[in-house]
Amino acid sequence: MVKDIKKRLIKEVVKPFFKENGFGNKGVNFEKDISLFTIEADIQSQKYYKTEGEENFRINCSVVCPAFNEFCGELPIQQSFGGLVISGDNSWITIKADTGYDGLAAWLKPELDKIKELEIRFRNIENIIYALKEECGLQYAFLLLHQSRTDELNEWLRYKKEALAKFRSELAAIETEGAILNQKPDSLDKRLKLDGIAMRRNKIGSKIEAAQNELDLIAKHIER
């Protein structure tokens, strides 16, 4: 019975919503291009750690930018620009033996409307640029480049170069700390401190690599 309610919800509420709003559909996956961005959604059913007599599912929705993915190439960069998950209090839409179809359908319909709100937001690139400004990451720089906002892009470049110089200074201080510690006699305390230094070195090294990759990528595209 619970499986029947789930199937009916998907057939009568979820799939019609996506169809009416212009999404393409392949099985439980949905997609819609909105100018620079693409909204991707899927129906995810719980497969593991299930409670007997219950059916759980949720609707995942993310906004990606194919042009940004191509721009990044092989770099391990966060691809999604945003999204949402439609679920209940326990991170799933839960259907039990006493769950009524009508009540659940009435709850789900306005939840799905949040996807329309997401679409409206991402159709306005200026809003997305503003939202990403504080983070000052590669997605922000990409959109500035895409919109030919040269002054703001130059400001981003200055900020990233300053951050990179700061990271390198921090790394040099860590290396000096390690060199001084290595001159001391071996002890448990020394080994523990060296382990801590190694962890800090790796962490700051990752930040340096990420910042340098972002600078190199933007610089390469500016030169074109």
Side-chain angles (χ1 to χ4, degrees):
M1 181 179 177
V2 292
K3 287 186 177 181
D4 292 338
I5 293 176
K6 174 186 166 185
K7 289 178 180 178
R8 186 180 170 193
L9 279 169
I10 292 172
K11 180 181 179 181
E12 297 181 0
V13 179
V14 179
K15 287 193 173 183
F17 167 84
F18 283 112
K19 183 177 181 180
E20 290 164 8
N21 287 281
F23 283 76
N25 171 218
K26 290 184 179 179
V28 295
N29 297 294
F30 309 88
E31 185 174 290
K32 182 178 183 179
D33 292 332
I34 49 169
S35 185
L36 182 62
F37 300 102
T38 298
I39 299 179
E40 298 177 344
D42 68 89
I43 303 169
Q44 179 187 5
S45 297
Q46 186 182 25
K47 295 182 179 180
Y48 306 105
Y49 310 108
K50 296 175 64 175
T51 300
E52 187 174 352
E54 289 186 5
E55 278 293 315
N56 294 300
F57 74 100
R58 60 189 169 207
I59 300 165
N60 304 307
C61 187
S62 63
V63 181
V64 298
C65 177
F68 178 71
N69 296 350
E70 183 178 353
F71 174 83
C72 292
E74 298 299 318
L75 285 182
I77 302 294
Q78 170 66 35
Q79 302 295 322
S80 174
F81 276 71
L84 56 87
V85 178
I86 297 174
S87 62
D89 294 337
N90 64 343
S91 79
W92 296 97
I93 300 170
T94 299
I95 304 172
K96 302 179 181 180
D98 59 352
T99 299
Y101 172 84
D102 291 339
L104 190 53
W107 170 83
L108 184 55
K109 288 176 182 178
E111 290 293 311
L112 287 167
D113 284 339
K114 293 177 182 178
I115 298 174
K116 292 193 288 187
E117 297 170 6
L118 189 70
E119 177 180 342
I120 291 170
R121 181 153 59 90
F122 274 88
R123 282 191 179 278
N124 189 328
I125 295 178
E126 295 301 311
N127 283 347
I128 305 306
I129 289 174
Y130 180 80
L132 292 172
K133 183 175 182 178
E134 185 174 350
E135 183 181 336
C136 210
L138 185 60
Q139 291 179 336
Y140 172 67
F142 166 79
L143 292 179
L144 294 177
L145 183 64
H146 184 271
Q147 298 296 101
S148 300
R149 293 169 64 155
T150 306
D151 290 344
E152 290 162 285
L153 186 59
N154 286 335
E155 183 180 339
W156 179 89
L157 287 167
R158 286 193 296 271
Y159 170 82
K160 280 293 176 180
K161 288 175 182 177
E162 289 173 0
L164 185 58
K166 180 182 177 183
F167 293 151
R168 286 175 173 159
S169 177
E170 290 177 9
L171 180 61
I174 292 170
E175 296 288 5
T176 299
E177 183 181 347
I180 294 172
L181 188 59
N182 268 320
Q183 295 175 5
K184 295 184 178 181
D186 287 339
S187 67
L188 176 60
D189 182 62
K190 175 182 175 179
R191 290 196 296 272
L192 290 173
K193 287 182 178 179
L194 285 173
D195 287 343
I197 287 173
M199 291 177 63
R200 287 158 54 200
R201 183 191 299 116
N202 290 338
K203 185 176 181 180
I204 201 70
S206 295
K207 290 182 178 181
I208 290 171
E209 182 180 9
Q212 188 64 65
N213 284 339
E214 291 179 1
L215 279 167
D216 290 346
L217 188 58
I218 291 295
K220 181 175 70 175
H221 284 80
I222 289 175
E223 291 170 0
R224 289 181 177 179

